[in-house]
Amino acid sequence: GKVVPARPDLFLITHALWTTGSIDRWLESNYCSLTSFVFFFYFFFFTTGLNYNLTADVTKKEKSQQPRVYFVTSGETVGQVTEKLQLSYMQEKCEHYLAYVKKRVKDVISPIVFEAAYSLGEHVLERGKEDKELPPLKPVLRWKKGQKIAQRNQTVFERNCQSDDCAADLKLQGKLLLSSVDDRTAYLALGAVRNISLNISISNIGDDAYDTNVFFNFSGELFFIKMWQKEELGIACELLESDFLKCSVGFPFMRSKSRYEFSVIFDTSHLSGQEETLTFLVTAQSGNLERTESLHDNTLTLSVPLMHEVDSSINGEVFPTSFFYGDSVEVSNFVQLENHECLFQSLNFTLQVYNAGPSTLPGAFLDISFPNRLSATGAEIFHVQQMMVGQDKGNCSFHRNHSPCVVPQENENIFHTIFAFFTKSGRKVLDCERPGRSCLIIRCNLSSLAKAESCDISIYTLLNTEILKKDSSSVIQFVTRARVQVDPDLRVVEVPNGSPEEKPVVFEALHNLEPRGYVVGWIIAISLLVGILIFLLLAVLLWKMGFFRRRYKEIIEAEKNRKENEDSWDWVQKNQ
């Protein structure tokens, strides 16, 4: 048989990887890092090939991030170099590579790791060393099972610290600025303010702060527009999520005793107003250690109340604006309810609530007041038949009149009727704003009204004319008032100096001043009787004064003699 050789069937290749110890933190230009590989080969008879891959910043690559350094081969920039070489017994080979650091590197905290991974290539048995009886041995690499056949080394960025722990001390300050709004405005008017700006100031009074970032948490209804800085300060912002913004400050670090100011602008046009307050949580953080006692000013909360600013107004009209009533008015002009003897005048009120904006009106109250009695103790005049709010924008409620037909009963006689007719004059104004006036109040709860949207309210009511007939006024003016009130609980405010929120709607009831037929007869008869009585009274007075007992003949003769005597005396004077 064959003799098994006593020598081992393994050989060992040892290798080493060296890199420069640190990289200048300023990175004013592309910095070079020297990377060297040394390979040793221990074994007899063999010359073997070695394949290797040199990867720059391998930890970033494993995280699918862009490497911070690169190699240059054949005029091209690459992140990995793949090469081959031949090794012989007791031979040392060393390869040198320059790795260039990219400009604008943000991460200067984590080290740059280089990795050299290698594997065996083709191997050749030296001439004259062949074993004719035994087959040639195949070389293998000795390595711990389960581990990658590679070597890693790293280089770090240089730091200059004034304190032992290189602690930074960040401080945040800021304020909210609403576009096109006076600084004295204490709220954000939904729909009126299109943009909101966060003016941020960040300072560092500690050691140089590496990888300094300012984070913004905000409402998902906001949209990030841009970051603005007065001059280029090395600030860049990135929207990580729809409600989370990250702004890197300084490059590659924020110097000690430095201060940066910038503004972050958001679009507020899509705010719904469901939240009472718009809040921004701003946090500053760096890659340095920061002492616990200096963390209190690393967080800043900026908030502003959200309000619905509206300009609500109301318009209204009534049909008819005037009507006649009285006993001589045709019955067909009135409405008569079933099983009721009263004559009613129908009235149609149309009211319109309008929101001129700029915000949506989330809800409002509409109060409509009708002067419902002629006197404090009188019967109710109005009887509401139907109410309707257009487009189902709300609902109305009121106290219903359960006795709509009331005819005032008085012990009248013909003389009282005639007296009331002649004394019916003047104008009476019924207005709920006057003290002591009893009114029917209709309250409507209105739902949301968008900007430039309106809501119509229709009211059909009946007025009992029987009560008006008993009043002494010939003209009764009804002043119905409609007033819109916003709900403060819904965070609604009216625009200063906006449209009026109250509208008076006026109509008049006119008495036709025509008495009934029998009243006319009685007036004629009484007039004749009174005339006769006056004539008789004058006759009696003249008789008592002796008017009918005077001697007219004697008076005439005495007057004649007096004239003759006067004529005779005039003649005597002329002759003398």
Side-chain angles (χ1 to χ4, degrees):
K2 294 183 180 180
V3 179
V4 179
R7 63 181 183 270
D9 59 348
L10 298 176
F11 69 91
L12 172 65
I13 295 179
T14 63
H15 66 278
L17 173 63
W18 285 278
T19 59
T20 54
S22 64
I23 299 176
D24 184 3
R25 59 179 181 162
W26 292 100
L27 300 178
E28 296 294 342
S29 60
N30 286 16
Y31 188 82
C32 299
S33 176
L34 179 60
T35 305
S36 302
F37 295 87
V38 181
F39 294 90
F40 298 92
F41 173 52
Y42 298 100
F43 198 70
F44 295 99
F45 311 126
F46 284 106
T47 296
T48 185
L50 189 71
N51 304 325
Y52 65 89
N53 293 325
L54 176 61
T55 305
D57 208 3
V58 66
T59 54
K60 291 291 185 181
K61 185 177 180 181
E62 291 173 348
K63 297 178 182 178
S64 299
Q65 298 177 1
Q66 290 294 325
R68 292 165 291 177
V69 295
Y70 59 91
F71 301 110
V72 177
T73 59
S74 302
E76 296 183 358
T77 60
V78 295
Q80 187 180 67
V81 176
T82 301
E83 294 289 348
K84 298 180 180 180
L85 56 82
Q86 294 291 325
L87 288 177
S88 300
Y89 171 67
M90 294 301 293
Q91 180 186 10
E92 174 183 326
K93 280 197 174 182
C94 182
E95 298 290 339
H96 302 280
Y97 294 92
L98 285 179
Y100 296 88
V101 182
K102 294 181 179 179
K103 291 183 177 180
R104 309 293 302 173
V105 172
K106 295 182 179 180
D107 182 9
V108 294
I109 302 298
S110 59
I112 298 177
V113 179
F114 293 89
E115 180 187 80
Y118 53 93
S119 61
L120 289 175
E122 295 181 359
H123 59 281
V124 180
L125 188 65
E126 295 184 14
R127 294 182 177 274
K129 303 293 184 178
E130 298 89 347
D131 191 333
K132 297 181 179 180
E133 297 182 359
L134 297 175
L137 298 177
K138 293 182 179 180
V140 295
L141 291 174
R142 181 176 297 170
W143 203 261
K144 291 184 179 180
K145 186 178 181 181
Q147 293 185 358
K148 184 178 181 181
I149 304 178
Q151 177 70 23
R152 290 189 177 190
N153 206 341
Q154 66 182 31
T155 185
V156 297
F157 290 89
E158 177 187 359
R159 294 192 188 185
N160 294 326
C161 300
Q162 299 175 0
S163 59
D164 295 336
D165 53 4
C166 293
D169 188 359
L170 304 178
K171 181 179 181 181
L172 271 179
Q173 291 178 310
K175 62 179 295 186
L176 292 175
L177 179 64
L178 308 180
S179 63
S180 304
V181 177
D182 195 322
D183 291 340
R184 293 172 294 180
T185 304
Y187 58 85
L188 187 153
L190 297 167
V193 178
R194 309 298 297 181
N195 298 330
I196 186 170
S197 174
L198 276 69
N199 297 341
I200 300 298
S201 172
I202 179 172
S203 58
N204 177 26
I205 60 176
D207 277 312
D208 295 343
Y210 295 85
D211 194 23
T212 304
N213 296 288
V214 180
F215 301 96
F216 297 85
N217 288 86
F218 50 91
S219 170
E221 296 178 344
L222 293 177
F223 291 91
F224 170 64
I225 298 178
K226 66 177 181 178
M227 182 276 300
W228 180 85
Q229 49 187 334
K230 189 174 182 180
E231 57 185 13
E232 183 62 34
L233 299 174
I235 301 174
C237 293
E238 178 185 5
L239 192 65
L240 301 182
E241 296 181 14
S242 61
D243 58 352
F244 189 69
L245 179 70
K246 172 187 175 182
C247 293
S248 61
V249 180
F251 176 79
F253 60 92
M254 185 176 179
R255 293 185 184 182
S256 176
K257 313 299 182 184
S258 63
R259 179 187 182 93
Y260 291 81
E261 293 182 352
F262 64 99
S263 299
V264 181
I265 304 173
F266 295 91
D267 178 14
T268 61
S269 59
H270 295 84
L271 287 174
S272 64
Q274 295 181 354
E275 299 293 333
E276 295 184 4
T277 306
L278 179 62
T279 303
F280 295 87
L281 179 61
V282 188
T283 306
Q285 184 179 346
S286 72
N288 294 52
L289 171 70
E290 192 161 356
R291 299 183 182 95
T292 305
E293 60 271 16
S294 62
L295 291 174
H296 64 280
D297 51 9
N298 284 32
T299 302
L300 180 65
T301 302
L302 300 174
S303 61
V304 60
L306 298 179
M307 301 292 288
H308 299 271
E309 192 175 63
V310 299
D311 184 8
S312 60
S313 61
I314 184 168
N315 289 305
E317 59 183 8
V318 60
F319 180 83
T321 56
S322 62
F323 64 90
F324 286 96
Y325 69 95
D327 293 322
S328 61
V329 179
E330 292 292 334
V331 177
S332 59
N333 294 339
F334 301 101
V335 175
Q336 194 166 10
L337 299 178
E338 186 178 358
N339 300 325
H340 291 83
E341 58 177 326
C342 297
L343 298 179
F344 295 92
Q345 173 65 44
S346 62
L347 296 167
N348 288 293
F349 290 86
T350 302
L351 303 171
Q352 185 183 72
V353 178
Y354 180 75
N355 174 31
S359 303
T360 297
L361 178 62
F365 301 114
L366 175 62
D367 290 332
I368 310 168
S369 56
F370 296 84
N372 202 27
R373 301 177 192 268
L374 293 178
S375 62
T377 58
E380 295 183 2
I381 302 174
F382 289 98
H383 177 50
V384 179
Q385 291 286 94
Q386 184 181 6
M387 288 187 304
M388 183 175 65
V389 180
Q391 302 176 358
D392 295 328
K393 286 288 186 178
N395 56 81
C396 301
S397 61
F398 65 97
H399 175 70
R400 185 172 296 277
N401 183 5
H402 298 287
S403 301
C405 181
V406 175
V407 180
Q409 300 295 329
E410 299 181 4
N411 296 324
E412 297 183 354
N413 50 44
I414 187 59
F415 297 104
H416 184 276
T417 303
I418 295 174
F419 177 77
F421 170 76
F422 282 106
T423 57
K424 188 178 288 292
S425 61
R427 175 188 295 268
K428 175 180 285 188
V429 179
L430 301 179
D431 191 346
C432 289
E433 283 197 343
R434 298 187 177 184
R437 184 66 61 190
S438 176
C439 292
L440 169 64
I441 305 297
I442 297 178
R443 165 156 285 203
C444 299
N445 295 322
L446 304 181
S447 57
S448 175
L449 287 178
K451 178 183 177 181
E453 187 178 7
S454 62
C455 174
D456 296 330
I457 299 95
S458 300
I459 302 175
Y460 175 69
T461 184
L462 301 178
L463 184 147
N464 187 357
T465 61
E466 303 296 335
I467 300 176
L468 304 184
K469 295 176 185 178
K470 306 304 178 181
D471 192 77
S472 60
S473 302
S474 59
V475 178
I476 303 177
Q477 186 181 76
F478 292 84
V479 181
T480 301
R481 295 187 178 274
R483 180 178 179 83
V484 179
Q485 296 180 352
V486 298
D487 189 354
D489 294 336
L490 298 178
R491 297 175 285 113
V492 184
V493 293
E494 287 282 354
V495 174
N497 304 319
S499 305
E501 295 89 37
E502 183 174 336
K503 174 68 177 180
V505 181
V506 180
F507 67 94
E508 292 182 339
L510 310 174
H511 196 281
N512 64 350
L513 299 179
E514 294 183 7
R516 300 178 184 179
Y518 75 91
V519 175
V520 175
W522 274 100
I523 291 175
I524 296 173
I526 292 174
S527 299
L528 290 175
L529 180 60
V530 171
I532 294 172
L533 291 176
I534 293 174
F535 176 77
L536 293 177
L537 179 61
L538 290 174
V540 171
L541 290 174
L542 292 174
W543 181 77
K544 288 290 185 180
M545 295 172 61
F547 180 79
F548 300 105
R549 292 179 294 182
R550 296 178 66 179
R551 299 173 182 176
Y552 292 101
K553 187 176 180 180
E554 295 177 354
I555 294 172
I556 293 173
E557 290 180 354
E559 185 66 23
K560 184 177 179 182
N561 292 333
R562 185 179 63 79
K563 289 183 177 182
E564 290 177 353
N565 291 334
E566 289 179 354
D567 294 339
S568 299
W569 179 252
D570 292 338
W571 182 81
V572 173
Q573 288 181 344
K574 290 179 180 180
N575 291 331
Q576 291 177 353

